[in-house]
């Protein structure tokens, strides 16, 4: 198939104005004709280079830097100056770039955001200016927006409240949307809802760029969110709105409020659940233990942990268990221990946590080590789970004694320490393999160094949401899906499991390599689109045959357009 012809774009901009526009700037790749027409001679070196040559130069400079944070800063600068080059660099080197533009490095980027801030990207919608939200969104610059990632910065990864520094998360997530699934960067919009911060370090920092105020909460917070959502709905009726890194007490509540009225989802709840479920479905092909025989322990009973449990619960029911039978397969452990009726850990729980509280009778014959709580070791000793998932944000939460106890009862324990960034992981893969005599099947949320397996280096699967949310978003945007129920995330999880290398080779990885994320995202998008079609969720009428063509046509490739100057009206 011949390469597609370059897109031609007409612009009124010339000279510094075109060089300062990251969506139009081509740097040294402007052709002779473009330099003539756009008056660029003298502003650029005379050598005309290809995009591939520019990528090689940026890659050399990037690798020469001394730290990942320096590399993160360089990439953010490149994104703000030349987006085509930025995304060409990402898509051609996605495995190397992913840890730099997102976890784990983005955590440090958020912590240092105010000190690294250089130029505007996205929108800061601050509480004192809530009356201006509609006016801000109405700017013509945002006419093409199709996908929004929004945060209020209160629960950034495992780092907690980062205030306005949380903007690094929507910027990074949308970069992954473009690099992994091909959304057009012109159609993406990161938004920070600045309702203040309770982080004393931010409030005391003289360079802090956010609203220097304690967090707004309660009815005032809800009214602000409603004003934002209603303004978004009016401005872009078919936009995808992704909630990111909201605290537990808001994340599920906001999702429940708006999920039936908007094309919206929360990646921390649903994306994390889908990648964990998809990886588990891949793992059972290796262990040979049927899904209906699995017993699941989850450390961290917040939004992410309960979201994972809820989607795996759905998978168990689809596999043949009754809902009541599936309920008893989950053992959720929080900071106060196992969630059990009548225990302190079960007091004051959110509604989404209540469904996973074990009845008192389930532990009647247990002999816990502590009188006031049941810890992870007790769960391993008595419940004997086959699967252990961590979303606690607590480094070392998977203790050696608990993992060794798990391995005493399970031939091939499935263990997923998913907390980000790397420093907050519940355990290191090398330790998990050592404690289980090499029998554990491990997937992590952040990247780790390879381990030795069968005498050779073996790359641990990064059970990262980037396997799921870009494909879900691509389908939602391309097909104008009206709402995103959990059934679509189940379709995404099954699509991921279906392309697991371990299906053909039990000694292979559970997930495709990160370098294949564009292929993975397309497979996920197609599965989600087909499920949405059968559930009547598509925003426009189309046949099954048209779904694949519509998704494929929506994939943007980082190639320079031909720029032509037009005189302003």
């Amino acid at each position: 198939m011949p390469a597609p012809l370059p897109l031609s774009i007409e612009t009124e901009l010339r000279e510094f104005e075109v060089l300062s526009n990251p969506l139009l700037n081509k740097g040294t790749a402007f052709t002779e004709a473009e330099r003539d027409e756009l008056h660029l001679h003298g502003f650029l070196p005379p050598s005309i280079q290809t995009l591939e040559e520019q990528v090689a130069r940026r890659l050399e400079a990037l690798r020469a830097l001394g730290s990942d944070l320096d590399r993160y800063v360089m990439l953010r600068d490149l994104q703000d100056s030349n987006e085509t080059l930025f995304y060409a660099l990402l898509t051609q080197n996605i495995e190397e770039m992913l840890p730099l533009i997102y976890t784990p490095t983005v955590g440090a980027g958020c912590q240092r955001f105010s000190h690294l801030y250089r130029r505007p990207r996205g929108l800061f919608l601050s509480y004192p200016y809530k009356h201006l939200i509609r006016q801000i969104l109405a700017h013509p610059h945002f006419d093409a927006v199709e996908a929004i990632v929004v945060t209020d910065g209160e629960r950034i990864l495992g780092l907690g409240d980062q205030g306005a520094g949380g903007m690094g998360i929507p910027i990074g997530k949308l970069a992954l949307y473009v690099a992994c699934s091909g959304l057009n960067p012109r159609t993406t919009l990161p938004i920070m809802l600045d309702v203040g911060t309770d982080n004393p370090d931010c409030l005391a920092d003289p360079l802090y760029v956010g609203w220097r105020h304690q967090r707004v909460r309660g009815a005032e917070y809800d009214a602000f969110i409603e004003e934002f959502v209603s303004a978004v709905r009016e401005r872009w009726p078919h936009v995808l709105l992704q909630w990111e890194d909201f605290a537990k007490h808001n994340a599920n509540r906001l999702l429940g409020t708006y999920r039936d009225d908007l094309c919206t989802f929360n990646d921390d709840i649903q994306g994390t659940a889908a990648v964990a479920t998809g990886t588990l479905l891949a793992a059972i092909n290796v262990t040979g233990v049927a899904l209906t025989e699995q017993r699941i322990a989850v450390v961290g009973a917040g939004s992410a942990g309960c979201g994972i449990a809820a989607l795996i619960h759905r998978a168990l029911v689809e596999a043949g268990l009754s809902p009541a039978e599936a309920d008893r397969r989950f053992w959720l452990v929080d900071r106060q221990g196992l969630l059990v009726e009548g225990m302190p850990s079960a007091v004051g729980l959110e509604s989404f946590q209540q469904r996973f509280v074990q009845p008192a009778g389930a532990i009647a014959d247990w002999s816990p080590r502590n009188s006031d709580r049941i810890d992870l070791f007790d769960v391993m000793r008595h419940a004997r789970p086959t699967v252990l998932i961590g979303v606690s944000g607590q480094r070392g939460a998977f203790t050696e004694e608990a993992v060794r106890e798990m391995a005493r009862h399970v031939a091939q324990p499935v263990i997923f320490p998913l907390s980000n960034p790397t420093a907050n992981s519940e355990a290191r893969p090398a330790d998990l393999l050592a404690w289980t005599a090499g029998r554990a099947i491990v997937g992590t949320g952040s990247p780790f160094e390879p381990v030795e397996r069968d005498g050779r280096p073996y790359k641990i699967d990064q059970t990262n949401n980037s396997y799921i949310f870009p494909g879900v978003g691509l389908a939602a945007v391309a097909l104008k899906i009206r709402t995103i129920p959990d059934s679509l995330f189940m379709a995404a999880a099954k699509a991921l499991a279906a392309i697991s290398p371990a299906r053909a080779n039990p000694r292979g990885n559970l997930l495709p390599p990160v370098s294949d994320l564009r292929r993975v995202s397309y497979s996920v998008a197609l599965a989600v689109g087909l499920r949405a079609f059968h559930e009547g969720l598509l925003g426009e009428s189309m046949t099954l045959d048209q779904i694949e063509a519509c998704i494929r046509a929506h994939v943007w490739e980082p190639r320079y357009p031909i720029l032509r100057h037009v005189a302003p009206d």
Side-chain angles (χ1 to χ4, degrees):
M1 180 182 295
L5 294 175
L7 178 69
S8 180
I9 294 179
E10 294 183 340
T11 178
E12 298 177 1
L13 304 182
R14 277 179 168 168
E15 301 172 349
F16 277 121
E17 288 181 315
V18 73
L19 293 173
S20 300
N21 186 313
L23 291 169
L24 298 180
N25 183 25
K26 299 165 67 169
T28 57
F30 281 106
T31 66
E32 190 76 23
E34 289 171 327
R35 295 178 187 216
D36 288 340
E37 198 167 340
L38 301 173
H39 297 178
L40 296 177
H41 289 293
F43 295 107
L44 297 167
S47 176
I48 297 173
Q49 297 180 313
T50 65
L51 178 59
E52 289 68 30
E53 289 169 332
Q54 291 179 315
V55 167
R57 182 168 62 244
R58 289 298 88 203
L59 195 58
E60 179 184 275
L62 190 76
R63 290 171 175 169
L65 295 175
S67 73
D68 282 350
L69 182 59
D70 289 339
R71 297 182 183 98
Y72 171 85
V73 172
M74 176 184 160
L75 287 168
R76 283 288 298 107
D77 284 344
L78 181 59
Q79 183 182 17
D80 286 340
S81 62
N82 184 334
E83 293 209 43
T84 303
L85 176 54
F86 170 76
Y87 285 113
L89 180 63
L90 259 59
T91 56
Q92 294 174 29
N93 305 276
I94 188 64
E95 188 165 2
E96 181 178 352
M97 298 298 124
L98 185 63
L100 301 177
I101 63 169
Y102 207 64
T103 56
T105 314
V106 71
C110 290
Q111 291 176 307
R112 297 285 299 163
F113 186 89
S114 292
H115 294 253
L116 300 173
Y117 184 80
R118 283 169 168 77
R119 60 181 291 177
R121 174 166 289 270
L123 290 175
F124 288 83
L125 302 180
S126 299
Y127 186 80
Y129 307 106
K130 57 184 179 293
H131 59 289
L132 298 177
I133 288 179
R134 281 173 168 77
Q135 176 184 323
I136 294 168
L137 299 186
H139 194 284
H141 181 73
F142 307 119
D143 285 350
V145 166
E146 294 179 324
I148 294 171
V149 175
V150 62
T151 188
D152 70 355
E154 188 171 7
R155 193 206 63 84
I156 298 300
L157 304 176
L159 304 172
D161 187 346
Q162 296 300 313
M167 179 57 129
I169 297 298
I171 291 173
K173 270 288 169 75
L174 287 168
L176 292 180
Y177 264 120
V178 178
C180 299
S181 69
L183 291 193
N184 190 316
R186 186 172 62 94
T187 69
T188 65
L189 179 61
I191 293 180
M192 172 71 207
L193 299 179
D194 188 0
V195 293
T197 178
D198 291 334
N199 184 331
D201 293 334
C202 292
L203 294 172
D205 185 352
L207 297 182
Y208 180 60
V209 298
W211 182 40
R212 205 178 298 271
H213 193 280
Q214 295 291 321
R215 279 190 175 271
V216 172
R217 300 194 182 278
E220 291 179 320
Y221 176 88
D222 288 349
F224 181 70
I225 295 293
E226 175 59 30
E227 178 69 12
F228 163 70
V229 171
S230 62
V232 166
R233 186 190 286 115
E234 291 173 15
R235 180 68 165 97
W236 304 286
H238 298 293
V239 77
L240 167 67
L241 178 63
Q242 177 179 320
W243 307 88
E244 192 71 29
D245 283 4
F246 285 75
K248 176 180 70 176
H249 54 272
N250 286 323
N252 275 275
R253 187 172 60 83
L254 294 177
L255 179 63
T257 299
Y258 296 110
R259 66 181 303 170
D260 295 331
D261 300 321
L262 296 169
C263 178
T264 191
F265 69 94
N266 184 306
D267 189 49
D268 304 306
I269 300 171
Q270 296 156 290
T272 303
V275 73
T277 302
T279 311
L280 174 58
L281 293 176
I284 65 177
N285 289 321
V286 177
T287 66
V289 178
L291 180 61
T292 53
E293 299 301 316
Q294 303 294 331
R295 299 179 299 279
I296 300 98
V298 180
V299 178
S303 301
C306 291
I308 290 170
L311 198 64
I312 296 177
H313 183 282
R314 185 186 185 104
L316 291 172
V317 172
E318 290 186 5
L321 293 185
S322 71
E325 290 172 326
D327 287 345
R328 303 284 71 84
R329 298 300 179 89
F330 293 91
W331 307 86
L332 269 62
V333 180
D334 218 342
R335 293 178 181 178
Q336 299 180 64
L338 180 69
L339 303 189
V340 183
E341 286 177 344
M343 300 287 285
S345 58
V347 176
L349 293 180
E350 303 281 352
S351 59
F352 63 86
Q353 297 171 304
Q354 291 287 352
R355 63 183 294 193
F356 296 111
V357 174
Q358 283 283 342
I363 62 160
D365 58 349
W366 289 21
S367 53
R369 299 187 297 180
N370 301 298
S371 60
D372 62 338
R373 66 192 296 269
I374 298 173
D375 63 19
L376 183 60
F377 176 84
D378 295 322
V379 173
M380 294 302 168
R381 181 182 176 190
H382 295 284
R384 301 182 178 183
T386 58
V387 179
L388 173 59
I389 299 172
V391 281
S392 66
Q394 301 300 308
R395 182 178 184 176
F398 293 175
T399 63
E400 179 177 353
E401 65 169 355
V403 173
R404 288 189 181 277
E405 183 67 19
M406 181 183 191
R408 287 185 60 228
H409 308 290
V410 182
Q412 288 185 284
V414 177
I415 306 179
F416 298 157
L418 300 184
S419 289
N420 292 311
T422 307
N424 293 69
S425 182
E426 286 80 10
R428 298 180 60 82
D431 290 335
L432 294 173
L433 291 169
W435 299 337
T436 61
R439 292 183 284 119
I441 297 173
V442 180
T444 62
S446 284
F448 279 88
E449 64 280 358
V451 297
E452 187 173 308
R453 179 172 164 180
D454 299 332
R456 298 193 301 270
Y458 178 80
K459 192 168 184 61
I460 294 292
D461 288 292
Q462 188 181 350
T463 310
N464 190 283
N465 295 22
S466 55
Y467 281 98
I468 294 291
F469 75 82
V472 173
L474 174 60
V477 167
L479 305 175
K480 292 183 170 60
I481 294 176
R482 291 191 295 272
T483 62
I484 307 180
D486 286 344
S487 57
L488 300 195
F489 281 97
M490 182 58 72
K494 290 180 177 179
L496 179 60
I499 56 177
S500 165
R503 287 175 64 91
N505 174 17
R507 301 296 291 171
N509 282 85
L510 301 179
L511 299 176
V514 170
S515 57
D516 276 357
L517 276 175
R518 277 223 162 186
R519 179 179 67 87
V520 172
S521 295
Y522 181 78
S523 297
V524 168
L526 186 58
V528 169
L530 293 175
R531 186 66 173 260
F533 172 86
H534 289 299
E535 294 190 18
L537 296 173
L538 301 190
E540 295 179 352
S541 177
M542 63 178 65
T543 66
L544 275 172
D545 293 338
Q546 292 172 318
I547 289 176
E548 183 171 5
C550 186
I551 292 174
R552 193 176 295 278
H554 221 82
V555 175
W556 177 84
E557 299 287 348
R559 291 189 294 266
Y560 284 132
I562 297 171
L563 298 186
R564 304 186 188 282
H565 183 259
V566 292
D569 294 335

